[in-house]
Amino acid sequence: MAKPSDELIELCRAAVEAERVATSEPYTQEGWAVWMEAAKTFQAAVTVEAGQEPKQSRLGLEQAAKKAVLHPEPDA
């Protein structure tokens, strides 16, 4: 399983939070711009991080980051 960096997880968390805010209000282009920029930043970071390790799956890394944010493991 891919292991996303803490930085990547934070970028994912920011994108998820921006989505929550944007979709909690009526649509406006300005309101969604923050979400779109956060998502773009996260996707770019996934691409960079995946390219740093040989045979690193970009999709696997993205999924691991999203899982860490959306479905965190309970503390033991």
Side-chain angles (χ1 to χ4, degrees):
M1 171 72 114
K3 175 77 170 102
S5 67
D6 292 342
E7 191 175 320
L8 191 62
I9 291 171
E10 286 305 313
L11 289 172
C12 182
R13 189 170 284 124
V16 167
E17 177 60 17
E19 177 186 15
R20 186 195 64 74
V21 170
T23 58
S24 70
E25 301 170 357
Y27 171 81
T28 64
Q29 188 172 2
E30 298 82 21
W32 280 39
V34 174
W35 172 24
M36 296 295 104
E37 189 59 35
K40 181 178 169 182
T41 300
F42 170 64
Q43 291 297 326
V46 170
T47 300
V48 169
E49 194 165 312
Q52 291 175 345
E53 197 168 317
K55 298 189 180 187
Q56 174 70 47
S57 165
R58 190 202 172 289
L59 177 59
L61 188 61
E62 179 181 351
Q63 289 176 333
K66 287 181 178 181
K67 181 179 179 189
V69 171
L70 299 173
H71 308 287
E73 295 290 325
D75 292 333

